[in-house]
Amino acid sequence: MCPRPPPALLSIVIPIYNEEQTLPHLRERMTQLMADLQPAVELILVDDGTTDRSYELLCDWAKADGRVKVIALSRNFGHQLATTAGLRYARGDAVVIMDADLQDPPELVPAMVQGYCEGYEVVYGQRTERLGETAFKRYSAFLFYQLMRRLISPDLPANVGDFRLLGRRILSEINRLHERDRFLRGLVSWAGFPQKALPYLRQPRVAGETKYPVLKMVRFATNAIVSFSDLPLRIIMWLGLGSVALSALLCIWAVGSFFLAPPGLVPGWASIIVILCFFSGAILSALGMIGLYVGRIYTEVQRRPLFLVAQTRNLEEPTAAPP
Ligand code: UDP
Ligand code: MG
């Protein structure tokens, strides 16, 4: 690894969805951070189709400070796509991705820049503890990371969110990827380059509610698994083979009992029901799983743009054209 000078410009990308309560806190902390940081900073705030006053607050902020740039998406595209939009507009030599709710302390950014200067392409924040989150959220997150490490690769760091610094080199590779159902941290892990972990304490939200209800979490996890692994398909193939073996045994048993059963007995009702239920269930779940992948192929071949921009403030064109 080669040490290098600090980035001439650092971009900080923050996706925002209905955060009117957290924005004043964010503004205060980011203004402080920009004053303390040595590299020049551009803040890219992506309004992900908010329905509260967040957009007005963002415009006020952009008016008062030219370093603050706002991208308003035409509707809610979700956290991962909003972040993607920000990454495509970022002009910095390095980019930091951060949540708006200050769960990721901005004070960690100088240490990330330090990692960049040491030559790392990725410096990701690793949560040593999650404060102010429900036991359910912590436990489901734990299970999710265990599963993803098994499915994607054991290199995928556990307890790592999207709070991270990316160097320009890896960023331009990520910007070239066109897949729709993006699991950004999986993509970054896939891209490789020298990566460094920075342990930190995950703070509670400063204000407002989580924008990730259970259903969105489930969708996020399914997307992550389906976009990085064909293990579910292999599992159903093995289940299918297992069922064939099982039904061969059942056939032997059925033929045997046909010859051995005492006259007058009507055998087989219960076993038919059991077999019917088992196999129709197995077939349906297998079809559903295949359907998940076919559905993804369908949305990927449509090649619609990943997001639509309605308005921008203090910004011209994206630096990365859609691939
Ligand atoms: N977010 C977004 N679009 C969405 C949902 C969330 O841009 O559809 C933003 C949200 O404003 C926040 C970040 O993504 O800046 C993380 O969301 P949140 O804090 O609600 O998730 P949690 O930390 O609870 O997992
Ligand atoms: Mg949060």
Side-chain angles (χ1 to χ4, degrees):
M1 234 167 355
C2 307
R4 52 183 161 179
L9 178 69
L10 177 73
S11 309
I12 301 184
V13 171
I14 307 182
I16 286 154
Y17 179 54
N18 293 349
E19 299 280 8
E20 63 179 2
Q21 282 164 305
T22 62
L23 276 177
H25 302 275
L26 183 72
R27 183 167 174 176
E28 193 186 310
R29 294 270 285 278
M30 294 315 287
T31 309
Q32 185 60 45
L33 176 74
M34 289 193 283
D36 295 345
L37 262 182
Q38 195 216 346
V41 174
E42 65 167 1
L43 257 189
I44 301 192
L45 305 169
V46 187
D47 171 349
D48 187 16
T50 48
T51 50
D52 65 357
R53 286 185 55 249
S54 300
Y55 184 62
E56 286 164 48
L57 296 179
L58 293 179
C59 288
D60 285 349
W61 191 1
K63 207 185 251 175
D65 189 339
R67 296 170 297 178
V68 175
K69 302 167 179 183
V70 180
I71 306 167
L73 301 186
S74 61
R75 63 171 169 85
N76 178 245
F77 279 88
H79 174 207
Q80 298 286 301
L81 290 182
T83 310
T84 302
L87 294 180
R88 293 244 169 107
Y89 277 84
R91 289 183 306 121
D93 304 310
V95 179
V96 170
I97 304 172
M98 193 187 278
D99 283 356
D101 55 4
L102 295 170
Q103 282 193 286
D104 313 320
E107 291 71 28
L108 224 65
V109 172
M112 290 185 164
V113 173
Q114 178 64 34
Y116 171 90
C117 296
E118 286 164 22
Y120 289 99
E121 265 310 289
V122 180
V123 186
Y124 53 82
Q126 188 157 34
R127 303 156 186 169
T128 49
E129 219 174 302
R130 295 170 152 243
L131 303 177
E133 298 201 75
T134 58
F136 172 74
K137 177 114 189 175
R138 269 175 304 172
Y139 193 65
S140 57
F142 170 76
L143 282 182
F144 173 70
Y145 287 117
Q146 288 297 325
L147 186 70
M148 291 313 290
R149 277 162 77 91
R150 212 145 279 175
L151 289 183
I152 299 183
S153 99
D155 298 337
L156 186 82
N159 288 321
V160 171
D162 286 321
F163 181 37
R164 57 184 63 214
L165 175 143
L166 304 175
R168 176 48 69 183
R169 265 190 81 195
I170 190 167
L171 181 66
S172 33
E173 299 302 334
I174 300 280
N175 277 341
R176 277 180 22 193
L177 305 177
H178 192 272
E179 56 194 89
R180 161 163 302 277
D181 287 314
R182 299 167 92 78
F183 176 53
L184 272 173
R185 55 202 96 150
L187 293 178
V188 171
S189 202
W190 167 86
F193 293 105
Q195 311 209 351
K196 180 185 179 180
L198 204 64
Y200 76 103
L201 214 67
R202 176 97 160 153
Q203 301 298 319
R205 241 178 186 277
V206 274
E209 303 258 291
T210 173
K211 307 298 178 300
Y212 262 101
V214 178
L215 215 66
K216 257 192 183 174
M217 269 160 54
V218 171
R219 199 186 313 154
F220 180 73
T222 322
N223 269 338
I225 292 168
V226 175
S227 52
F228 275 93
S229 169
D230 59 357
L231 189 72
L233 290 177
R234 278 183 278 136
I235 290 176
I236 57 177
M237 189 190 75
W238 286 110
L239 278 181
L241 288 179
S243 318
V244 170
L246 191 72
S247 54
L249 291 179
L250 284 173
C251 282
I252 296 172
W253 173 66
V255 173
S257 39
F258 174 75
F259 287 113
L260 298 180
L265 186 80
V266 187
W269 184 83
S271 51
I272 285 178
I273 295 294
V274 169
I275 295 167
L276 210 70
C277 289
F278 174 74
F279 284 104
S280 32
I283 290 170
L284 276 183
S285 55
L287 274 181
M289 228 170 252
I290 295 169
L292 269 184
Y293 286 89
V294 175
R296 280 183 72 92
I297 296 171
Y298 178 57
T299 51
E300 293 298 343
V301 294
Q302 286 176 320
R303 288 186 71 85
R304 290 191 190 143
L306 300 183
F307 54 85
L308 296 179
V309 174
Q311 292 179 60
T312 58
R313 287 274 187 284
N314 293 346
L315 260 184
E316 298 303 326
E317 285 302 306
T319 45

PDB file of all heavy atoms in Angstrom, residues 251-267:
ATOM      1  N   CYS A 251     -42.647 -45.887  -2.871  1.00  0.00           N
ATOM      2  CA  CYS A 251     -43.168 -46.775  -3.912  1.00  0.00           C
ATOM      3  C   CYS A 251     -42.961 -48.233  -3.514  1.00  0.00           C
ATOM      4  O   CYS A 251     -43.871 -49.062  -3.640  1.00  0.00           O
ATOM      5  CB  CYS A 251     -42.444 -46.522  -5.235  1.00  0.00           C
ATOM      6  SG  CYS A 251     -43.049 -45.053  -6.029  1.00  0.00           S
ATOM      7  N   ILE A 252     -41.771 -48.514  -3.020  1.00  0.00           N
ATOM      8  CA  ILE A 252     -41.487 -49.898  -2.604  1.00  0.00           C
ATOM      9  C   ILE A 252     -42.476 -50.313  -1.524  1.00  0.00           C
ATOM     10  O   ILE A 252     -43.088 -51.388  -1.559  1.00  0.00           O
ATOM     11  CB  ILE A 252     -40.039 -49.998  -2.076  1.00  0.00           C
ATOM     12  CG1 ILE A 252     -39.069 -49.694  -3.223  1.00  0.00           C
ATOM     13  CG2 ILE A 252     -39.776 -51.376  -1.494  1.00  0.00           C
ATOM     14  CD1 ILE A 252     -37.633 -49.567  -2.785  1.00  0.00           C
ATOM     15  N   TRP A 253     -42.686 -49.387  -0.594  1.00  0.00           N
ATOM     16  CA  TRP A 253     -43.599 -49.681   0.518  1.00  0.00           C
ATOM     17  C   TRP A 253     -45.013 -49.902  -0.024  1.00  0.00           C
ATOM     18  O   TRP A 253     -45.713 -50.840   0.362  1.00  0.00           O
ATOM     19  CB  TRP A 253     -43.564 -48.501   1.506  1.00  0.00           C
ATOM     20  CG  TRP A 253     -44.576 -48.591   2.601  1.00  0.00           C
ATOM     21  CD1 TRP A 253     -44.622 -49.525   3.604  1.00  0.00           C
ATOM     22  CD2 TRP A 253     -45.699 -47.739   2.805  1.00  0.00           C
ATOM     23  NE1 TRP A 253     -45.687 -49.310   4.420  1.00  0.00           N
ATOM     24  CE2 TRP A 253     -46.371 -48.203   3.955  1.00  0.00           C
ATOM     25  CE3 TRP A 253     -46.191 -46.608   2.131  1.00  0.00           C
ATOM     26  CZ2 TRP A 253     -47.523 -47.580   4.442  1.00  0.00           C
ATOM     27  CZ3 TRP A 253     -47.327 -46.001   2.629  1.00  0.00           C
ATOM     28  CH2 TRP A 253     -47.992 -46.477   3.756  1.00  0.00           C
ATOM     29  N   ALA A 254     -45.467 -49.058  -0.963  1.00  0.00           N
ATOM     30  CA  ALA A 254     -46.832 -49.147  -1.483  1.00  0.00           C
ATOM     31  C   ALA A 254     -47.039 -50.460  -2.233  1.00  0.00           C
ATOM     32  O   ALA A 254     -48.038 -51.175  -2.012  1.00  0.00           O
ATOM     33  CB  ALA A 254     -47.104 -47.962  -2.420  1.00  0.00           C
ATOM     34  N   VAL A 255     -46.049 -50.808  -3.094  1.00  0.00           N
ATOM     35  CA  VAL A 255     -46.185 -52.061  -3.858  1.00  0.00           C
ATOM     36  C   VAL A 255     -46.176 -53.244  -2.905  1.00  0.00           C
ATOM     37  O   VAL A 255     -46.996 -54.178  -3.018  1.00  0.00           O
ATOM     38  CB  VAL A 255     -45.044 -52.162  -4.900  1.00  0.00           C
ATOM     39  CG1 VAL A 255     -45.059 -53.515  -5.588  1.00  0.00           C
ATOM     40  CG2 VAL A 255     -45.200 -51.055  -5.924  1.00  0.00           C
ATOM     41  N   GLY A 256     -45.277 -53.158  -1.911  1.00  0.00           N
ATOM     42  CA  GLY A 256     -45.198 -54.249  -0.926  1.00  0.00           C
ATOM     43  C   GLY A 256     -46.509 -54.429  -0.196  1.00  0.00           C
ATOM     44  O   GLY A 256     -47.016 -55.543  -0.064  1.00  0.00           O
ATOM     45  N   SER A 257     -47.122 -53.327   0.232  1.00  0.00           N
ATOM     46  CA  SER A 257     -48.351 -53.477   1.030  1.00  0.00           C
ATOM     47  C   SER A 257     -49.516 -53.923   0.149  1.00  0.00           C
ATOM     48  O   SER A 257     -50.469 -54.535   0.636  1.00  0.00           O
ATOM     49  CB  SER A 257     -48.683 -52.200   1.794  1.00  0.00           C
ATOM     50  OG  SER A 257     -48.426 -51.084   1.019  1.00  0.00           O
ATOM     51  N   PHE A 258     -49.431 -53.649  -1.197  1.00  0.00           N
ATOM     52  CA  PHE A 258     -50.473 -54.131  -2.103  1.00  0.00           C
ATOM     53  C   PHE A 258     -50.513 -55.668  -2.078  1.00  0.00           C
ATOM     54  O   PHE A 258     -51.564 -56.290  -2.052  1.00  0.00           O
ATOM     55  CB  PHE A 258     -50.180 -53.638  -3.524  1.00  0.00           C
ATOM     56  CG  PHE A 258     -51.112 -54.185  -4.567  1.00  0.00           C
ATOM     57  CD1 PHE A 258     -52.406 -53.700  -4.679  1.00  0.00           C
ATOM     58  CD2 PHE A 258     -50.698 -55.214  -5.422  1.00  0.00           C
ATOM     59  CE1 PHE A 258     -53.264 -54.212  -5.636  1.00  0.00           C
ATOM     60  CE2 PHE A 258     -51.558 -55.725  -6.372  1.00  0.00           C
ATOM     61  CZ  PHE A 258     -52.850 -55.231  -6.490  1.00  0.00           C
ATOM     62  N   PHE A 259     -49.321 -56.273  -2.049  1.00  0.00           N
ATOM     63  CA  PHE A 259     -49.275 -57.741  -2.044  1.00  0.00           C
ATOM     64  C   PHE A 259     -49.534 -58.313  -0.661  1.00  0.00           C
ATOM     65  O   PHE A 259     -50.109 -59.375  -0.514  1.00  0.00           O
ATOM     66  CB  PHE A 259     -47.914 -58.221  -2.556  1.00  0.00           C
ATOM     67  CG  PHE A 259     -47.785 -58.026  -4.053  1.00  0.00           C
ATOM     68  CD1 PHE A 259     -46.884 -57.123  -4.574  1.00  0.00           C
ATOM     69  CD2 PHE A 259     -48.615 -58.762  -4.919  1.00  0.00           C
ATOM     70  CE1 PHE A 259     -46.786 -56.940  -5.942  1.00  0.00           C
ATOM     71  CE2 PHE A 259     -48.506 -58.569  -6.295  1.00  0.00           C
ATOM     72  CZ  PHE A 259     -47.606 -57.657  -6.818  1.00  0.00           C
ATOM     73  N   LEU A 260     -49.116 -57.574   0.389  1.00  0.00           N
ATOM     74  CA  LEU A 260     -49.151 -58.140   1.733  1.00  0.00           C
ATOM     75  C   LEU A 260     -50.417 -57.792   2.505  1.00  0.00           C
ATOM     76  O   LEU A 260     -50.738 -58.462   3.484  1.00  0.00           O
ATOM     77  CB  LEU A 260     -47.938 -57.661   2.545  1.00  0.00           C
ATOM     78  CG  LEU A 260     -46.571 -58.087   1.964  1.00  0.00           C
ATOM     79  CD1 LEU A 260     -45.442 -57.559   2.828  1.00  0.00           C
ATOM     80  CD2 LEU A 260     -46.490 -59.619   1.859  1.00  0.00           C
ATOM     81  N   ALA A 261     -51.129 -56.728   2.081  1.00  0.00           N
ATOM     82  CA  ALA A 261     -52.272 -56.265   2.882  1.00  0.00           C
ATOM     83  C   ALA A 261     -53.359 -57.337   2.938  1.00  0.00           C
ATOM     84  O   ALA A 261     -53.609 -58.004   1.944  1.00  0.00           O
ATOM     85  CB  ALA A 261     -52.837 -54.999   2.268  1.00  0.00           C
ATOM     86  N   PRO A 262     -53.994 -57.473   4.101  1.00  0.00           N
ATOM     87  CA  PRO A 262     -55.097 -58.442   4.210  1.00  0.00           C
ATOM     88  C   PRO A 262     -56.265 -58.003   3.334  1.00  0.00           C
ATOM     89  O   PRO A 262     -56.452 -56.803   3.115  1.00  0.00           O
ATOM     90  CB  PRO A 262     -55.472 -58.388   5.691  1.00  0.00           C
ATOM     91  CG  PRO A 262     -54.882 -57.131   6.203  1.00  0.00           C
ATOM     92  CD  PRO A 262     -53.728 -56.762   5.332  1.00  0.00           C
ATOM     93  N   PRO A 263     -57.075 -58.900   2.783  1.00  0.00           N
ATOM     94  CA  PRO A 263     -58.178 -58.532   1.898  1.00  0.00           C
ATOM     95  C   PRO A 263     -59.201 -57.676   2.620  1.00  0.00           C
ATOM     96  O   PRO A 263     -59.412 -57.845   3.825  1.00  0.00           O
ATOM     97  CB  PRO A 263     -58.764 -59.876   1.474  1.00  0.00           C
ATOM     98  CG  PRO A 263     -58.136 -60.922   2.336  1.00  0.00           C
ATOM     99  CD  PRO A 263     -56.967 -60.365   2.999  1.00  0.00           C
ATOM    100  N   GLY A 264     -59.805 -56.725   1.923  1.00  0.00           N
ATOM    101  CA  GLY A 264     -60.860 -55.898   2.512  1.00  0.00           C
ATOM    102  C   GLY A 264     -60.338 -54.585   3.068  1.00  0.00           C
ATOM    103  O   GLY A 264     -61.104 -53.643   3.288  1.00  0.00           O
ATOM    104  N   LEU A 265     -59.031 -54.442   3.268  1.00  0.00           N
ATOM    105  CA  LEU A 265     -58.477 -53.201   3.825  1.00  0.00           C
ATOM    106  C   LEU A 265     -58.341 -52.142   2.723  1.00  0.00           C
ATOM    107  O   LEU A 265     -57.973 -52.458   1.604  1.00  0.00           O
ATOM    108  CB  LEU A 265     -57.094 -53.503   4.425  1.00  0.00           C
ATOM    109  CG  LEU A 265     -56.444 -52.348   5.168  1.00  0.00           C
ATOM    110  CD1 LEU A 265     -57.013 -52.205   6.563  1.00  0.00           C
ATOM    111  CD2 LEU A 265     -54.942 -52.525   5.227  1.00  0.00           C
ATOM    112  N   VAL A 266     -58.738 -50.892   3.022  1.00  0.00           N
ATOM    113  CA  VAL A 266     -58.514 -49.821   2.035  1.00  0.00           C
ATOM    114  C   VAL A 266     -57.325 -49.003   2.525  1.00  0.00           C
ATOM    115  O   VAL A 266     -57.500 -48.037   3.259  1.00  0.00           O
ATOM    116  CB  VAL A 266     -59.754 -48.922   1.908  1.00  0.00           C
ATOM    117  CG1 VAL A 266     -59.554 -47.925   0.758  1.00  0.00           C
ATOM    118  CG2 VAL A 266     -60.995 -49.748   1.688  1.00  0.00           C
ATOM    119  N   PRO A 267     -56.154 -49.397   2.143  1.00  0.00           N
ATOM    120  CA  PRO A 267     -55.002 -48.708   2.683  1.00  0.00           C
ATOM    121  C   PRO A 267     -54.671 -47.470   1.844  1.00  0.00           C
ATOM    122  O   PRO A 267     -55.162 -47.346   0.720  1.00  0.00           O
ATOM    123  CB  PRO A 267     -53.887 -49.750   2.553  1.00  0.00           C
ATOM    124  CG  PRO A 267     -54.314 -50.604   1.385  1.00  0.00           C
ATOM    125  CD  PRO A 267     -55.796 -50.488   1.206  1.00  0.00           C
TER     126      PRO A 267
END
